[in-house]
Amino acid sequence: METSGSDGRQPLAHPLLKGQKALVTGANSGIGKATAIGLGRAGADVVVNYVAGRDAAEDVVREIESFGVRAYAHEADVSQEKQVSDMVDRMVQKFGTIDVMVANAGLQRDAPLTDMTMAQWQKVLDVNLTGQFLCAREAAKEFMRRGVVPEVSRSVGKIICMSSVHQIIPWAGHVNYASSKGGVQMLMATLAQELAPHRIRVNAVAPGAIRTPINRSAWDTPEAEADLLRLVPYDRVGDPDDIANVVAALASDLFDYVVGTTLYVDGGMTLFPGFATGG
Ligand code: NAP
């Protein structure tokens, strides 16, 4: 049977992730949505996690199913321990196991330091950092229970943390967000060191400026986009598919020896472009 996505894209001829089971958090919008669709296109069955937007999540499920793989939407708040463990338990019941956990869900609650409330600080840390801890822990338990299945993948499992260039670039007015992503960097590296002997690969992807709802004000007028592009040597704002493609490759056995690394997908934002003419 010929299958294709709603935009006419075909499943890949040699699916990188054939037979693998993936869970993407925050998969009804932006980068998570593109990633869930990208993993489905690469042959994986996919759980589409969301917390609020059910209709958008169901649209993503339909798009993934059009590639001839399985998908379903699951509502869970990644900052809630029981909801995360229930989400992974249900995935094991429905799909048999999990091979790829993409801890992507994240948000911003911006304010200058002296105006930032405890609630703004805590919410961002809870979702962006504690959420990734919980998702990694529940996935790792299932990876270790199951062990390697050589015909599926050389590794026992893959955990991919969605970080940000702000894991290393300070960001005034966003101390909660930058602190959460700095935490993700060390969460990822420590888990990579701890889990590598179990043949579990933990890595991060650090997007630069990607066109999604989280940063709409930074690109939705020509003036804002021009201002943003001063920070991007490659001179274009990224698309969610730029991240999705890297996640699919990183999750595949093509990247089997990549452990504990952050892949910056940022058009050169971390090259300190201000120094191209100054300094
Ligand atoms: P987005 O379009 O706003 O998507 C955020 C997603 O996170 C939504 O699906 C949202 O679900 C979900 N989410 C929020 N709180 C959640 C919770 N408690 N539990 C489960 N899901 C939750 O933003 P995005 O740009 O795609 O961001 C995705 C990730 O990329 C984030 O970790 C972000 O920090 C990172 N990132 C983005 C950029 C960029 O330029 N866009 C750059 C660097 C890093 P609902 O819609 O259901 O609320």
Side-chain angles (χ1 to χ4, degrees):
M1 184 181 69
E2 280 291 308
T3 55
S4 66
S6 61
D7 63 355
R9 286 188 298 183
Q10 301 293 317
L12 299 173
H14 303 288
L16 288 174
L17 301 175
K18 190 170 177 350
Q20 301 205 34
K21 320 292 177 196
L23 190 158
V24 183
T25 66
N28 60 347
S29 175
I31 289 170
K33 172 181 174 178
T35 297
I37 292 169
L39 297 182
R41 184 165 175 259
D45 295 328
V46 185
V47 178
V48 176
N49 162 254
Y50 68 99
V51 69
R54 176 164 192 93
D55 290 349
E58 292 296 352
D59 288 345
V60 175
V61 166
R62 279 189 289 278
E63 174 103 26
I64 294 169
E65 287 174 336
S66 74
F67 296 126
V69 295
R70 292 184 292 167
Y72 67 88
H74 185 104
E75 180 184 328
D77 179 339
V78 294
S79 68
Q80 300 300 312
E81 184 173 24
K82 177 84 165 60
Q83 292 185 37
V84 174
S85 60
D86 285 351
M87 177 165 66
V88 175
D89 286 351
R90 181 169 173 228
M91 180 175 181
V92 172
Q93 281 165 17
K94 285 178 78 88
F95 283 174
T97 191
I98 176 170
D99 301 287
V100 182
M101 169 63 84
V102 184
N104 164 78
L107 44 72
Q108 292 179 214
R109 295 287 184 269
D110 307 329
L113 173 65
T114 50
D115 294 338
M116 188 172 286
T117 64
M118 186 63 193
Q120 288 172 316
W121 170 265
Q122 198 63 54
K123 179 73 176 175
V124 171
L125 270 291
D126 284 351
V127 174
N128 294 13
L129 184 56
T130 305
Q132 296 216 6
F133 157 73
L134 292 171
C135 290
R137 189 185 68 182
E138 295 311 306
K141 285 183 196 168
E142 169 58 16
F143 295 160
M144 290 180 189
R145 181 200 67 76
R146 173 186 22 86
V148 177
V149 182
E151 55 277 20
V152 173
S153 176
R154 295 179 74 180
S155 77
V156 176
K158 281 79 63 166
I159 296 168
I160 298 175
C161 301
M162 197 57 67
S163 188
S164 164
V165 291
H166 294 297
Q167 71 170 27
I168 55 164
I169 301 178
W171 201 16
H174 306 75
V175 68
N176 47 1
Y177 185 84
S179 300
S180 75
K181 296 301 185 179
V184 166
Q185 195 285 326
M186 193 49 81
L187 173 86
M188 181 281 292
T190 300
L191 294 185
Q193 186 192 64
E194 183 171 332
L195 298 177
H198 299 275
R199 296 199 72 107
I200 297 169
R201 294 197 294 116
V202 187
N203 290 286
V205 173
I210 309 298
R211 213 180 286 273
T212 76
I214 207 174
N215 57 1
R216 184 177 300 281
S217 62
W219 51 260
D220 72 349
T221 66
E223 299 74 32
E225 183 166 339
D227 206 32
L228 179 61
L229 287 176
R230 287 190 299 110
L231 302 173
V232 186
Y234 204 58
D235 203 32
R236 73 169 171 85
V237 179
D239 297 316
D241 279 347
D242 289 317
I243 306 302
N245 292 337
V246 170
V247 173
L250 184 55
S252 79
D253 278 6
L254 290 175
F255 278 60
D256 188 56
Y257 210 51
V258 177
V259 175
T261 294
T262 296
L263 292 177
Y264 289 93
V265 187
D266 67 353
M269 190 178 251
T270 40
L271 296 173
F272 299 97
F275 279 83
T277 52

Coordinates of all heavy atoms in Angstrom, one line a residue, residues 18-83:
K18 N 12.8 1.6 11.8 CA 11.8 0.5 11.6 C 11.7 -0.4 12.9 O 12.7 -0.8 13.4 CB 12.2 -0.3 10.4 CG 11.1 -1.3 9.9 CD 11.6 -1.8 8.6 CE 10.7 -2.9 8.0 NZ 9.6 -3.4 8.7
G19 N 10.5 -0.5 13.3 CA 10.2 -1.5 14.5 C 10.5 -0.8 15.8 O 10.3 -1.5 16.8
Q20 N 10.9 0.4 15.9 CA 11.2 1.0 17.2 C 9.9 1.8 17.7 O 9.1 2.2 16.9 CB 12.4 2.0 17.0 CG 13.6 1.3 16.6 CD 14.9 1.9 17.0 OE1 15.0 2.5 18.1 NE2 15.9 1.8 16.2
K21 N 9.9 1.9 19.0 CA 8.8 2.6 19.6 C 9.3 3.8 20.3 O 10.2 3.8 21.1 CB 8.1 1.6 20.7 CG 8.1 0.2 20.3 CD 7.1 -0.1 19.2 CE 7.1 -1.6 18.9 NZ 6.5 -1.8 17.6
A22 N 8.7 5.0 19.9 CA 9.2 6.2 20.4 C 8.1 7.0 21.2 O 6.9 6.9 20.8 CB 9.7 7.1 19.3
L23 N 8.5 7.7 22.2 CA 7.5 8.6 22.9 C 8.1 10.0 22.8 O 9.3 10.2 23.1 CB 7.4 8.2 24.4 CG 6.3 8.9 25.2 CD1 5.9 8.0 26.4 CD2 6.7 10.3 25.7
V24 N 7.3 11.0 22.4 CA 7.8 12.4 22.3 C 6.9 13.2 23.2 O 5.7 13.2 23.0 CB 7.7 12.9 20.9 CG1 8.2 14.4 20.8 CG2 8.5 12.0 19.9
T25 N 7.5 13.9 24.2 CA 6.7 14.8 25.0 C 6.5 16.1 24.4 O 7.3 16.6 23.6 CB 7.3 14.9 26.4 OG1 8.5 15.6 26.3 CG2 7.5 13.6 27.1
G26 N 5.4 16.8 24.7 CA 5.0 18.0 24.1 C 5.0 17.9 22.6 O 5.5 18.7 21.9
A27 N 4.2 16.9 22.1 CA 4.3 16.6 20.7 C 3.1 17.1 19.9 O 2.9 16.7 18.7 CB 4.4 15.0 20.5
N28 N 2.4 18.0 20.4 CA 1.2 18.5 19.7 C 1.5 19.9 19.1 O 0.6 20.6 18.6 CB 0.0 18.6 20.6 CG 0.2 19.5 21.8 OD1 1.3 19.9 22.1 ND2 -0.9 19.8 22.4
S29 N 2.8 20.4 19.2 CA 3.1 21.7 18.8 C 4.6 21.8 18.4 O 5.4 21.1 19.0 CB 2.8 22.7 20.0 OG 3.2 24.0 19.6
G30 N 4.9 22.7 17.6 CA 6.3 23.1 17.3 C 7.3 22.0 17.1 O 7.1 21.1 16.2
I31 N 8.4 22.0 17.8 CA 9.5 21.0 17.6 C 9.0 19.6 17.9 O 9.4 18.7 17.2 CB 10.7 21.4 18.5 CG1 11.3 22.7 17.9 CG2 11.7 20.3 18.6 CD1 12.4 23.3 18.9
G32 N 8.2 19.4 19.0 CA 7.8 18.1 19.4 C 6.9 17.5 18.3 O 7.0 16.3 18.0
K33 N 6.0 18.3 17.8 CA 5.1 17.8 16.7 C 6.0 17.4 15.5 O 5.8 16.3 15.0 CB 4.2 19.0 16.3 CG 3.3 18.7 15.1 CD 2.4 19.9 14.8 CE 1.7 19.7 13.4 NZ 0.8 20.8 13.1
A34 N 6.9 18.2 15.0 CA 7.7 17.9 13.9 C 8.5 16.6 14.2 O 8.7 15.8 13.3 CB 8.6 19.0 13.5
T35 N 9.0 16.5 15.4 CA 9.8 15.3 15.8 C 9.0 14.1 15.8 O 9.4 13.0 15.3 CB 10.4 15.6 17.2 OG1 11.3 16.7 17.0 CG2 11.2 14.4 17.6
A36 N 7.8 14.1 16.4 CA 6.9 12.9 16.4 C 6.6 12.5 15.0 O 6.7 11.3 14.6 CB 5.6 13.3 17.2
I37 N 6.3 13.4 14.1 CA 6.0 13.1 12.7 C 7.3 12.6 12.0 O 7.2 11.6 11.3 CB 5.4 14.3 12.0 CG1 4.0 14.7 12.5 CG2 5.4 14.1 10.4 CD1 3.5 16.0 12.1
G38 N 8.4 13.2 12.3 CA 9.6 12.7 11.7 C 10.0 11.3 12.1 O 10.5 10.5 11.3
L39 N 9.8 11.0 13.4 CA 10.1 9.6 13.9 C 9.1 8.6 13.2 O 9.5 7.5 12.8 CB 10.0 9.6 15.4 CG 11.0 10.4 16.2 CD1 10.9 10.2 17.7 CD2 12.5 10.2 15.7
G40 N 7.9 9.0 13.1 CA 6.9 8.1 12.4 C 7.3 7.9 10.9 O 7.3 6.8 10.4
R41 N 7.7 9.0 10.3 CA 8.2 8.9 8.9 C 9.4 8.0 8.8 O 9.6 7.3 7.7 CB 8.5 10.3 8.4 CG 8.9 10.4 6.9 CD 8.8 11.8 6.4 NE 9.3 11.9 5.1 CZ 10.5 12.3 4.7 NH1 11.3 12.7 5.6 NH2 10.8 12.4 3.5
A42 N 10.2 7.9 9.8 CA 11.4 7.1 9.8 C 11.1 5.7 10.3 O 12.0 4.8 10.4 CB 12.5 7.7 10.7
G43 N 9.8 5.4 10.5 CA 9.4 4.0 10.7 C 9.0 3.6 12.1 O 8.6 2.5 12.4
A44 N 9.1 4.5 13.0 CA 8.8 4.2 14.4 C 7.3 4.3 14.7 O 6.6 5.1 14.1 CB 9.5 5.2 15.4
D45 N 6.8 3.5 15.7 CA 5.5 3.8 16.2 C 5.7 4.9 17.3 O 6.7 4.9 18.0 CB 4.9 2.5 16.9 CG 4.7 1.4 15.9 OD1 4.3 1.7 14.8 OD2 4.8 0.2 16.3
V46 N 4.7 5.8 17.4 CA 4.9 7.0 18.2 C 3.8 7.3 19.2 O 2.6 7.3 18.8 CB 5.1 8.2 17.3 CG1 5.5 9.4 18.1 CG2 6.2 7.9 16.2
V47 N 4.2 7.5 20.4 CA 3.2 8.1 21.4 C 3.4 9.6 21.4 O 4.5 10.2 21.5 CB 3.5 7.6 22.8 CG1 2.5 8.2 23.8 CG2 3.3 6.1 22.9
V48 N 2.2 10.3 21.2 CA 2.2 11.8 21.1 C 1.7 12.3 22.4 O 0.5 12.4 22.7 CB 1.2 12.1 19.9 CG1 1.1 13.7 19.8 CG2 1.7 11.6 18.6
N49 N 2.6 12.7 23.2 CA 2.2 13.3 24.5 C 1.8 14.8 24.4 O 2.4 15.5 23.6 CB 3.4 13.2 25.5 CG 3.2 14.1 26.7 OD1 3.9 15.1 26.8 ND2 2.3 13.9 27.6
Y50 N 0.9 15.2 25.2 CA 0.5 16.6 25.2 C -0.1 16.8 26.6 O -0.4 15.9 27.3 CB -0.6 16.9 24.1 CG -1.9 16.2 24.4 CD1 -3.0 16.9 25.1 CD2 -2.1 14.9 24.2 CE1 -4.1 16.3 25.4 CE2 -3.2 14.2 24.5 CZ -4.3 14.9 25.1 OH -5.4 14.3 25.5
V51 N -0.3 18.1 27.0 CA -0.9 18.4 28.3 C -2.2 19.1 28.1 O -3.1 18.9 29.0 CB 0.1 19.1 29.2 CG1 0.3 20.6 28.7 CG2 -0.4 19.1 30.6
A52 N -2.4 19.9 27.1 CA -3.6 20.7 27.0 C -4.3 20.5 25.7 O -5.6 20.3 25.6 CB -3.3 22.2 27.2
G53 N -3.6 20.5 24.6 CA -4.2 20.6 23.2 C -4.5 19.3 22.6 O -3.8 18.8 21.8
R54 N -5.7 18.7 23.0 CA -5.9 17.3 22.6 C -6.2 17.2 21.0 O -5.7 16.3 20.4 CB -7.2 16.7 23.3 CG -7.6 15.4 22.8 CD -8.5 14.5 23.6 NE -8.5 13.2 23.1 CZ -7.7 12.2 23.5 NH1 -6.9 12.4 24.4 NH2 -7.7 11.0 22.9
D55 N -6.9 18.2 20.5 CA -7.3 18.2 19.1 C -6.0 18.2 18.2 O -5.8 17.5 17.3 CB -8.2 19.3 18.7 CG -9.6 19.2 19.3 OD1 -9.9 18.0 19.8 OD2 -10.4 20.1 19.2
A56 N -5.1 19.1 18.6 CA -3.8 19.2 17.9 C -3.0 17.9 18.0 O -2.4 17.4 17.0 CB -3.0 20.4 18.4
A57 N -3.1 17.2 19.1 CA -2.4 16.0 19.3 C -3.0 14.9 18.4 O -2.3 14.1 17.8 CB -2.4 15.5 20.8
E58 N -4.3 14.9 18.3 CA -5.0 13.9 17.4 C -4.6 14.1 16.0 O -4.5 13.2 15.2 CB -6.5 13.9 17.6 CG -7.0 13.4 19.0 CD -6.7 12.0 19.3 OE1 -6.2 11.2 18.4 OE2 -6.8 11.5 20.5
D59 N -4.5 15.4 15.6 CA -4.0 15.7 14.2 C -2.7 15.1 13.9 O -2.4 14.6 12.9 CB -4.0 17.2 14.0 CG -5.4 17.8 13.9 OD1 -6.4 17.1 13.7 OD2 -5.5 19.1 14.0
V60 N -1.8 15.2 14.9 CA -0.4 14.7 14.8 C -0.5 13.2 14.6 O 0.2 12.5 13.8 CB 0.5 15.1 16.0 CG1 1.8 14.4 15.9 CG2 0.6 16.6 16.0
V61 N -1.4 12.5 15.4 CA -1.5 11.1 15.4 C -1.9 10.7 14.0 O -1.4 9.7 13.4 CB -2.6 10.6 16.4 CG1 -3.0 9.2 16.1 CG2 -2.0 10.7 17.8
R62 N -2.9 11.4 13.4 CA -3.4 11.0 12.1 C -2.3 11.1 11.0 O -2.1 10.3 10.1 CB -4.6 11.9 11.7 CG -5.9 11.3 12.3 CD -7.1 12.0 11.7 NE -7.2 13.4 12.2 CZ -7.8 13.7 13.3 NH1 -8.2 12.8 14.1 NH2 -7.8 15.0 13.7
E63 N -1.5 12.2 11.2 CA -0.4 12.4 10.2 C 0.6 11.3 10.3 O 1.1 10.7 9.3 CB 0.3 13.8 10.6 CG 1.5 14.0 9.8 CD 1.3 15.1 8.7 OE1 0.4 15.9 8.8 OE2 2.1 15.0 7.7
I64 N 0.9 10.8 11.5 CA 1.9 9.8 11.7 C 1.3 8.4 11.2 O 2.0 7.7 10.5 CB 2.3 9.6 13.2 CG1 3.0 10.9 13.7 CG2 3.1 8.3 13.5 CD1 3.2 10.9 15.2
E65 N 0.0 8.2 11.4 CA -0.6 6.9 11.0 C -0.6 6.9 9.4 O -0.5 5.8 8.9 CB -2.0 6.8 11.5 CG -2.1 6.5 13.0 CD -3.5 6.5 13.5 OE1 -4.4 7.2 13.0 OE2 -3.7 5.9 14.6
S66 N -0.6 8.0 8.8 CA -0.6 8.0 7.3 C 0.7 7.4 6.7 O 0.8 7.1 5.5 CB -0.8 9.5 6.8 OG 0.4 10.2 6.9
F67 N 1.7 7.3 7.6 CA 3.0 6.7 7.1 C 2.9 5.1 7.3 O 3.9 4.4 7.0 CB 4.2 7.2 7.9 CG 4.4 8.7 7.6 CD1 4.5 9.6 8.7 CD2 4.6 9.2 6.3 CE1 4.8 10.9 8.5 CE2 4.8 10.5 6.1 CZ 4.9 11.4 7.2
G68 N 1.8 4.6 7.8 CA 1.7 3.2 7.9 C 2.2 2.6 9.2 O 2.4 1.4 9.3
V69 N 2.5 3.5 10.2 CA 2.9 3.1 11.5 C 1.8 3.4 12.5 O 0.8 4.1 12.2 CB 4.2 3.7 11.9 CG1 5.4 3.3 11.0 CG2 4.1 5.3 11.9
R70 N 2.0 2.9 13.8 CA 1.0 3.2 14.8 C 1.3 4.4 15.6 O 2.5 4.8 15.8 CB 0.9 2.0 15.7 CG 0.4 0.7 15.0 CD 0.2 -0.4 16.0 NE 1.5 -0.9 16.5 CZ 1.7 -1.7 17.6 NH1 0.7 -2.1 18.3 NH2 2.9 -2.1 17.9
A71 N 0.3 5.0 16.1 CA 0.4 6.2 17.0 C -0.8 6.4 17.8 O -1.9 6.0 17.4 CB 0.7 7.5 16.1
Y72 N -0.7 7.0 19.0 CA -1.8 7.5 19.7 C -1.4 8.6 20.6 O -0.2 8.8 20.9 CB -2.4 6.3 20.6 CG -1.6 5.8 21.7 CD1 -1.6 6.5 23.0 CD2 -0.7 4.8 21.6 CE1 -0.8 6.0 24.0 CE2 0.1 4.3 22.6 CZ 0.0 4.9 23.8 OH 0.8 4.5 24.9
A73 N -2.4 9.4 21.0 CA -2.1 10.6 21.9 C -2.3 10.2 23.3 O -3.2 9.4 23.7 CB -3.1 11.7 21.5
H74 N -1.5 10.8 24.2 CA -1.6 10.5 25.6 C -1.4 11.9 26.4 O -0.4 12.5 26.3 CB -0.5 9.6 26.0 CG -0.6 9.2 27.5 ND1 -1.1 7.9 27.9 CD2 -0.4 9.8 28.6 CE1 -1.1 7.9 29.2 NE2 -0.7 9.0 29.7
E75 N -2.4 12.2 27.1 CA -2.4 13.4 28.0 C -1.6 13.1 29.2 O -1.9 12.2 30.0 CB -3.8 13.9 28.3 CG -3.8 15.1 29.2 CD -5.2 15.5 29.6 OE1 -6.2 15.3 28.8 OE2 -5.4 16.1 30.7
A76 N -0.6 13.9 29.5 CA 0.1 13.8 30.8 C 0.9 15.1 31.0 O 1.5 15.6 30.0 CB 1.1 12.6 30.8
D77 N 1.0 15.5 32.2 CA 1.9 16.6 32.6 C 3.2 16.0 33.0 O 3.3 15.3 34.0 CB 1.2 17.3 33.8 CG 2.0 18.5 34.3 OD1 3.3 18.6 34.0 OD2 1.5 19.4 35.0
V78 N 4.3 16.3 32.3 CA 5.5 15.7 32.5 C 6.2 16.0 33.8 O 7.1 15.4 34.3 CB 6.6 16.0 31.4 CG1 6.1 15.4 30.0 CG2 6.8 17.5 31.3
S79 N 5.6 17.1 34.5 CA 6.2 17.4 35.8 C 5.6 16.6 37.0 O 6.0 16.7 38.1 CB 6.0 18.9 36.1 OG 4.7 19.2 36.3
Q80 N 4.6 15.7 36.6 CA 3.9 14.9 37.6 C 4.3 13.5 37.6 O 4.1 12.8 36.6 CB 2.4 15.0 37.4 CG 1.8 16.5 37.5 CD 2.1 17.1 38.9 OE1 1.9 16.5 39.9 NE2 2.7 18.3 38.8
E81 N 5.0 13.0 38.7 CA 5.6 11.7 38.7 C 4.7 10.6 38.3 O 5.0 9.8 37.4 CB 6.1 11.5 40.1 CG 6.9 10.2 40.3 CD 7.6 10.1 41.6 OE1 7.1 10.7 42.6 OE2 8.6 9.3 41.8
K82 N 3.5 10.5 38.9 CA 2.5 9.4 38.6 C 2.1 9.5 37.1 O 1.9 8.4 36.5 CB 1.4 9.6 39.6 CG 0.2 8.6 39.4 CD 0.6 7.2 40.1 CE -0.6 6.3 40.2 NZ -1.2 5.9 39.0
Q83 N 1.8 10.7 36.6 CA 1.4 10.8 35.2 C 2.4 10.3 34.3 O 2.1 9.7 33.2 CB 1.0 12.2 34.9 CG -0.3 12.7 35.7 CD -0.7 14.1 35.3 OE1 -0.7 14.5 34.1 NE2 -1.2 14.8 36.3

